[in-house]
């Protein structure tokens, strides 16, 4: 297994201040005891600057960032997955599944809290590291990493809630109450951060193996391409994707299922992924795999985020990605164990193979050292294909979408024939289809449906009421509105 970034956290107060949200800081205003490191007396040297940036990366493993709430508002909310587990367990996720959630929903609250805590950690670095007397090249890189991660947190937040408070620095006590600004202003802020990161970060190939997992220039450009795609700015998305594609830094990993196994961590296809090291190995684990693991026999998880009937039906005949994505009842695992779900889960219980681990960590899956894949090269190729089609370049669109299909064929020329249509509407549908089956259960689908303007139609076919003008975004947590005294307003319909 390749080396991973060791995100050990210094004993600092980074990220603790925003324990609930933006305006809940009063409990932390007392002076710290002498000898205790805080954000006020930290940031003195190069080591502390690096530790502070590592603390941002560490937060990517937080339960409210890439675990329970995360799979809820991305996969479970979409047509790709159902809540899973057993009836009554985590009912707030069933509300997400059925679109009956409100502003007190646990997932809705968790995302706001978790991602703004990440913004806080990034702001501490961006505000304090420039004043440290240290190697200037490393300083620029660390600031670039912090701005990349701040943009990452905000990009997820703006797609989740729309208009947001824009927090670009550590706040003084008299600034804790912040109103929301328009999503357009937030997107502009995100673009500035990713652009800075792209200009100041190394390429993936320039990092030592021990540093794999850190943000790169290619990752910043790739995210920037996706940011433009989400604003229907197709020429900008295409141009940025082209820069990354022609850089030669990335290529499709030959084995599709292998991407999600140990050998696929930080592979040629990895643009950005969350690095984890199980605690017994001296790092920090994640529960991402545990909450989606098999509930039953073999018992290695909670059984949430079950692939749906609709996703099963979406695959073309003999598409190898189906078996590489979904574990069904009765499947025989590489260990020889036959999957027998908890009978309380009901009929047709399924599990995500992309989140499945072949081995159980000694201290349990809560300490899983399996990396969380965030952005793959296949995603970028499909962004480029979609953008190319929208600007009238069907030849380039076909080249990129068929690169993804060719890898999926795994050398079997009798399946998954190349897409050949040059009709823009037909090709658009083909690219949408390819995004679904290629990236299924990787937390992209719900945001894609909203962006594509197809959510109401898709959910209506499933008998779910999805309301335009409301469900494009989630509600702002009611607790944040209450504690702000009304400065933070609610989204329409909630």
């Amino acid at each position: 297994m390749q080396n991973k970034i060791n995100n050990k956290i210094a004993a600092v107060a980074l990220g603790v201040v925003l324990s609930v949200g933006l305006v809940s800081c009063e409990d932390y205003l007392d002076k710290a005891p002498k000898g205790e490191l805080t954000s006020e007396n930290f940031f003195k040297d190069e080591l502390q600057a690096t530790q502070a940036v590592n603390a941002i990366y560490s937060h990517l493993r937080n339960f409210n960032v890439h675990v329970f709430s995360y799979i809820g508002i991305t996969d479970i909310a979409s047509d790709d997955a159902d809540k899973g587990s057993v009836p009554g367990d985590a009912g707030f996720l069933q509300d997400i599944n059925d679109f009956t959630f409100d502003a007190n929903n646990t997932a809705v609250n968790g995302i706001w809290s978790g991602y703004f805590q990440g913004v806080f950690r990034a702001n501490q670095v961006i505000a304090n590291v420039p004043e440290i007397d240290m190697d200037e090249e490393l300083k620029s890189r660390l600031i670039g990493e912090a701005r990349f991660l701040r943009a990452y947190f905000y990009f997820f937040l703006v797609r989740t809630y729309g208009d947001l408070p824009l927090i670009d620095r550590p706040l003084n006590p008299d600034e804790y109450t912040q109103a929301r600004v328009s999503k357009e202003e937030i997107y502009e802020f995100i673009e500035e951060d990713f652009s800075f990161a792209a200009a100041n970060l190394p390429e993936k190939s320039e990092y030592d193996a021990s540093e794999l997992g850190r943000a790169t220039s290619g990752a910043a450009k790739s995210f920037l391409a996706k940011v433009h795609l989400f604003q229907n700015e197709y020429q900008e998305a295409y141009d940025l994707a082209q820069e990354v594609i022609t850089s030669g830094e990335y290529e499709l990993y030959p084995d599709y299922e292998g991407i999600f196994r140990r050998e696929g961590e930080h592979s040629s296809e990895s643009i950005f992924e969350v690095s984890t090291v199980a605690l017994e190995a001296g790092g920090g684990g994640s529960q991402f795999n545990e909450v989606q693991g098999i509930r039953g026999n073999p018992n290695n998880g909670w059984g949430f985020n079950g692939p749906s009937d609709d996703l099963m039906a979406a695959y073309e005949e003999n598409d190898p990605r189906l078996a590489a994505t979904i574990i069904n009842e009765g499947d025989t695992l590489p260990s020889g164990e036959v999957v027998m779900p908890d009978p309380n889960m009901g009929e047709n219980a399924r599990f995500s193979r992309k989140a499945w681990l072949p081995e159980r960590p000694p201290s349990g899956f809560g300490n899983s050292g399996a990396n969380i894949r965030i952005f793959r090269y296949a995603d970028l190729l499909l962004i480029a294909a979609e953008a190319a089609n929208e600007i009238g370049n069907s030849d380039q669109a076909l080249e990129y979408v068929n690169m993804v299909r060719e890898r999926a064929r795994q050398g079997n020329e009798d399946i998954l024939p190349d897409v050949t249509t040059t009709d823009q509407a037909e090709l658009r549908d083909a690219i949408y289809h390819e995004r679904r089956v290629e990236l299924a259960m990787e937390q992209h689908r719900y945001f894609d449906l909203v962006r594509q303007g197809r959510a109401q139609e898709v959910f209506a076919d499933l008998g779910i009421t999805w309301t335009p003008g409301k469900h494009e975004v989630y509600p702002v947590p009611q607790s944040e509105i209450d504690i702000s005294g009304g400065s933070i307003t609610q989204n329409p319909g909630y």
Side-chain angles (χ1 to χ4, degrees):
M1 182 177 66
Q2 291 178 302
N3 292 325
K4 305 185 185 83
I5 180 175
N6 191 345
N7 286 331
K8 293 182 179 179
I9 311 172
V12 295
L14 300 176
V16 176
V17 177
L18 291 180
S19 64
V20 177
L22 288 175
V23 292
S24 307
C25 304
E26 288 80 2
D27 291 342
Y28 298 93
L29 296 182
D30 293 337
K31 289 185 178 180
K34 290 183 178 180
E36 181 176 319
L37 291 171
T38 71
S39 56
E40 285 73 31
N41 64 22
F42 197 65
F43 295 105
K44 299 301 183 184
D45 56 32
E46 188 173 291
L47 174 61
Q48 291 177 334
T50 303
Q51 288 173 330
V53 173
N54 287 354
I56 315 173
Y57 285 105
S58 174
H59 192 65
L60 296 173
R61 302 192 300 265
N62 183 274
F63 196 77
N64 281 330
V65 176
H66 284 130
V67 186
F68 219 27
S69 298
Y70 174 66
I71 63 171
I73 72 164
T74 54
D75 284 343
I76 293 172
S78 79
D79 54 342
D80 275 2
D82 300 313
K83 177 182 79 75
S85 188
V86 297
D89 192 0
F92 69 91
L93 288 179
Q94 189 63 53
D95 291 338
I96 294 289
N97 192 97
D98 298 337
F99 285 87
T100 57
F101 54 83
D102 60 21
N104 295 305
N105 184 274
T106 299
V108 167
N109 281 263
I111 292 294
W112 182 283
S113 174
Y115 280 73
F116 270 117
Q117 286 174 8
V119 170
F120 172 81
R121 292 190 181 204
N123 280 340
Q124 288 286 348
V125 170
I126 295 164
N128 290 289
V129 168
E131 305 305 316
I132 298 176
D133 182 13
M134 60 180 288
D135 178 82
E136 290 298 320
E137 184 177 351
L138 177 59
K139 179 189 291 188
S140 295
R141 195 199 84 190
L142 293 175
I143 296 170
E145 290 180 70
R147 291 189 66 171
F148 172 95
L149 292 166
R150 182 172 69 178
Y152 174 77
F153 291 126
Y154 258 114
F155 185 36
F156 198 89
L157 285 166
V158 74
R159 289 178 292 169
T160 304
Y161 303 103
D163 299 348
L164 294 165
L166 200 167
I167 312 300
D168 62 356
R169 66 194 187 285
L171 300 178
N172 296 318
D174 61 353
E175 298 176 303
Y176 290 156
T177 300
Q178 294 282 327
R180 301 165 79 192
V181 303
S182 71
K183 64 180 181 181
E184 289 77 19
E185 189 172 344
I186 297 296
Y187 269 115
E188 183 178 351
F189 180 66
I190 293 168
E191 290 172 20
E192 290 172 357
D193 270 356
F194 276 138
S195 295
F196 180 91
N200 288 275
L201 292 177
E203 292 288 2
K204 183 178 179 180
S205 60
E206 298 176 67
Y207 277 115
D208 293 335
S210 62
E211 301 283 5
L212 287 176
R214 292 192 179 277
T216 65
S217 178
K221 291 176 183 177
S222 298
F223 271 106
L224 197 51
K226 183 172 282 193
V227 167
H228 284 296
L229 187 73
F230 269 79
Q231 298 173 88
N232 299 323
E233 296 168 352
Y234 298 112
Q235 187 67 58
E236 293 89 340
Y238 176 76
D239 291 344
L240 282 157
Q242 280 287 96
E243 283 190 48
V244 180
I245 292 167
T246 58
S247 72
E249 287 285 319
Y250 307 97
E251 62 182 11
L252 294 172
Y253 192 70
D255 177 9
Y256 181 80
E257 184 174 352
I259 296 167
F260 308 98
R261 305 281 79 84
R262 294 292 191 189
E263 64 267 25
E265 293 184 341
H266 297 306
S267 71
S268 60
E269 186 159 344
S270 175
I271 292 177
F272 188 65
E273 62 187 71
V274 177
S275 294
T276 64
V277 182
L279 293 180
E280 58 271 8
S286 166
Q287 288 183 266
F288 176 80
N289 302 89
E290 181 181 39
V291 300
Q292 299 178 77
I294 296 169
R295 185 173 188 136
N297 180 35
N299 185 2
N300 64 1
W302 300 358
F304 287 97
N305 203 27
S308 66
D309 292 343
D310 199 69
L311 176 61
M312 287 279 292
Y315 288 87
E316 295 166 67
E317 185 176 6
N318 296 321
D319 188 338
R321 292 173 295 190
L322 173 59
T325 300
I326 298 174
I327 295 174
N328 288 285
E329 180 175 358
D331 284 355
T332 300
L333 300 173
S335 62
E337 296 169 295
V338 177
V339 176
M340 294 185 291
D342 182 333
N344 294 314
M345 292 184 67
E347 297 181 358
N348 299 322
R350 303 186 186 98
F351 308 92
S352 171
R353 189 177 290 270
K354 291 179 178 179
W356 173 76
L357 292 178
E359 72 282 343
R360 183 180 181 87
S363 55
F365 282 94
N367 288 333
S368 170
N371 290 359
I372 305 168
R373 281 65 168 176
I374 302 296
F375 204 138
R376 295 196 283 115
Y377 186 52
D379 187 356
L380 184 72
L381 288 174
L382 293 172
I383 289 171
E386 184 175 342
N389 184 54
E390 297 301 332
I391 61 176
N393 189 346
S394 59
D395 289 343
Q396 193 71 83
L398 286 170
E399 178 183 348
Y400 290 143
V401 73
N402 286 326
M403 285 174 64
V404 175
R405 290 175 68 80
E406 181 180 7
R407 191 270 301 277
R409 284 196 290 266
Q410 307 278 247
N412 184 351
E413 298 301 323
D414 295 329
I415 61 173
L416 302 178
D418 280 355
V419 177
T420 58
T421 181
T422 57
D423 178 85
Q424 188 180 52
E426 292 178 357
L427 183 51
R428 181 185 298 123
D429 287 343
I431 294 168
Y432 286 171
H433 164 80
E434 202 62 30
R435 280 195 66 82
R436 184 181 192 187
V437 296
E438 171 68 25
L439 303 173
M441 306 304 294
E442 295 180 54
Q443 297 78 57
H444 298 289
R445 178 64 172 174
Y446 184 71
F447 289 145
D448 271 348
L449 287 175
V450 173
R451 171 181 65 81
Q452 295 160 359
R454 301 191 299 137
Q456 184 180 19
E457 176 185 357
V458 166
F459 287 113
D461 289 343
L462 298 175
I464 296 173
T465 300
W466 189 95
T467 306
K470 175 182 179 180
H471 286 136
E472 289 85 356
V473 290
Y474 290 88
V476 174
Q478 188 60 46
S479 59
E480 294 297 331
I481 295 172
D482 294 343
I483 205 168
S484 76
S487 294
I488 295 178
T489 57
Q490 186 55 274
N491 282 324
Y494 296 105

